Amino acid sequence: MVEKSLEPTCVLVCAMIIASVGLNMSSTAVIIGAMLISPIMGGILASAYGNVSADYSLFTNHMIGFGMQIVISVAAASIYFFLSPVKEPTVELLARTSPTFYLTIIK
């Protein structure tokens, strides 16, 4: 049985707050830094391995965990933006709310 830890959740919340600050301050470097410390990729890799190796209990467990990570990320970012004194949208924030087809291919 896999032992659950609170540490990845704390790192995830910190990464989402750092990414939100980067979006709020229009800093691409901060956004990229938040992506580097985010623990989301582990769940994606584990669910991909479970799917390819036909271990569907591993796949299911990590997909549920990935869904929880998405909920926690959205909640942390929502709380940050609700409490943030900066209310006007920045260039970085606007660039991520209206992507073009070309940008979806690049990223």
Side-chain angles (χ1 to χ4, degrees), residues 2 4 42-66:
V2 178
K4 302 289 181 185
I44 295 171
L45 290 175
S47 61
Y49 176 75
N51 191 22
V52 170
S53 64
D55 186 354
Y56 293 112
S57 65
L58 179 70
F59 174 75
T60 304
N61 287 340
H62 282 89
M63 286 306 291
I64 291 170
F66 183 59

Side-chain angles (χ1 to χ4, degrees), residues 5 10 22 37-38 71:
S5 174
C10 292
I37 65 169
S38 177
V71 169

